Amino acid sequence: MRFDATKRVLVTGGAGFLGSHLCERLVEDGHDVLCVDNFYTGSKRNVAHLLDHPRFELMRHDVTFPLYVEVDEIYNLACPASPIHYQHDPVQTTKTSVHGAINMLGLAKRVGAKILQASTSEVYGDPEEHPQTENYWGRVNPIGIRSCYDEGKRCAETLFFDYHRQNGLRIKVARIFNTYGPRMHPNDGRVVSNFIMQALRGDALTIQGDGSQTRSFCYVDDLIEGLVRMMSTPDECTGPINVGSGFEFTMLELAQKVIALTGSSSELAFGPLPQDDPAQRRPDLTLARANLDWEAKTPLDEGLNRTIEYFKGL
Ligand code: NAD
Ligand code: UDP
Ligand code: UDP
């Protein structure tokens, strides 16, 4: 029995882009945070400002191996998220999603912890239903170059729901849509970081395809608020719940906006569209509004400006 209101929270992938913001938020909220990361795509630099905090602890560990610690809540974020990184070692990507989920679920089962999975809009694949509701089962290629990530995340969702049904685990599955902000990896090939870096250098912005494909980008602080709210929902609220922004735009519009906000003279360079690149993506946010009383608030211009400032400082 513990008499302390402080929660012991494990964040896997805590030294990554989203994980580092989540660790920061949880420490600020007064929790005891254990950040576990193998630094595959994340870095100590992302959490350097937390290292001296008495309620923060950093552990180098790969979640595909068992982990024995005592915690009250687990946010399972470990997994490379950008196509370049997750396609670099696709077998390891699937192992991280699947073996990582098994180990973290086994840990949650042993200690009775609540566990949240950072799932993804990629479970919908290249969707025919638009916007995507949580009931949509998706259109995913099982053998393509994105499959290690998409199918790994889908299998992780299966494991979460089977541990819930079979072992009564308290689970939360959040389907995260594209998120951007400070501490994105500058070279991970994602569109926001690419465009900003290219605009700041005066290089051409690389548009894949004709730029008519859409995404709905959420600013990181809004997303983290959504995850924290989801963790505190009643036990019957398991998800899956879409979290992200409902504001949809084309990649061409994004390129023009980044050029305008940076004041850059960069031009546009059109290249081929990668295999299985989804043509459109926007979350249906009805469940998030109803269950989390949440929606993304930061306007795109404001979020982009903060992100541009971060990249200028690198
Ligand atoms: P990221 O690559 O910055 O962070 C992932 C972190 O996981 C990194 O710190 C990495 O080193 C760590 N990691 C990878 N494999 C590991 C392993 N085997 N053991 C321990 N740590 C490991 O990516 P992110 O954007 O911060 O994404 C975090 C999570 O959110 C991921 O699970 C991702 O799939 C999910 N997600 C992100 C987005 C987005 O737009 N950023 C969208 C949907 C889902
Ligand atoms: N596990 C872990 N930490 C724990 C408890 C379990 O990493 O505190 C791992 C363990 O190595 C196992 C996995 O979680 O492979 C699944 O555990 P579970 O109890 O569900 O299955 P079992 O041990 O029966 O295979
Ligand atoms: N994209 C682009 N130029 C780039 C990087 C990406 O036009 O330099 C496109 C990419 O083809 C995709 C969209 O931007 O249609 C979002 O790509 P990202 O890798 O950021 O996210 P995801 O494809 O996983 O949604």
Side-chain angles (χ1 to χ4, degrees), residues 21 32 34 62 141 205 286:
H21 287 273
D32 222 328
L34 173 59
D62 184 325
N141 175 357
L205 272 59
T286 313

Side-chain angles (χ1 to χ4, degrees), residues 6-15 18-20 22-24 26-27 31-38 55-63 65-78 100-111 113-118 160 227-228 231:
T6 306
K7 289 196 192 102
R8 301 160 303 177
V9 186
L10 166 62
V11 180
T12 75
L18 296 183
S20 62
L22 179 60
C23 287
E24 198 174 284
L26 294 168
V27 166
H31 302 304
D32 222 328
V33 176
L34 173 59
C35 168
V36 162
D37 206 296
N38 69 350
R55 288 195 307 276
F56 181 79
E57 192 180 347
L58 176 61
M59 182 193 285
R60 180 194 292 268
H61 175 79
D62 184 325
V63 293
F65 296 98
L67 176 67
Y68 287 83
V69 291
E70 312 304 312
V71 291
D72 305 302
E73 293 180 348
I74 304 168
Y75 289 84
N76 188 36
L77 271 62
I102 292 173
N103 287 328
M104 292 309 105
L105 287 160
L107 167 61
K109 181 176 122 188
R110 181 179 61 79
V111 299
K114 218 190 304 186
I115 179 164
L116 181 146
Q117 169 67 354
F160 268 67
L227 295 186
V228 168
M231 185 60 107

Side-chain angles (χ1 to χ4, degrees), residues 13 15-19 36-43 61-64 76-81 92 96 118-121 149 153 176-179 190:
F17 162 48
L18 296 183
V36 162
D37 206 296
N38 69 350
F39 306 121
Y40 182 56
T41 52
S43 69
H61 175 79
D62 184 325
V63 293
T64 62
N76 188 36
L77 271 62
C79 185
Q92 175 66 15
T96 292
S119 191
T120 167
S121 51
Y149 184 74
K153 289 285 187 178
I176 302 171
F177 281 63
N178 295 71
T179 303
R190 284 192 265 193

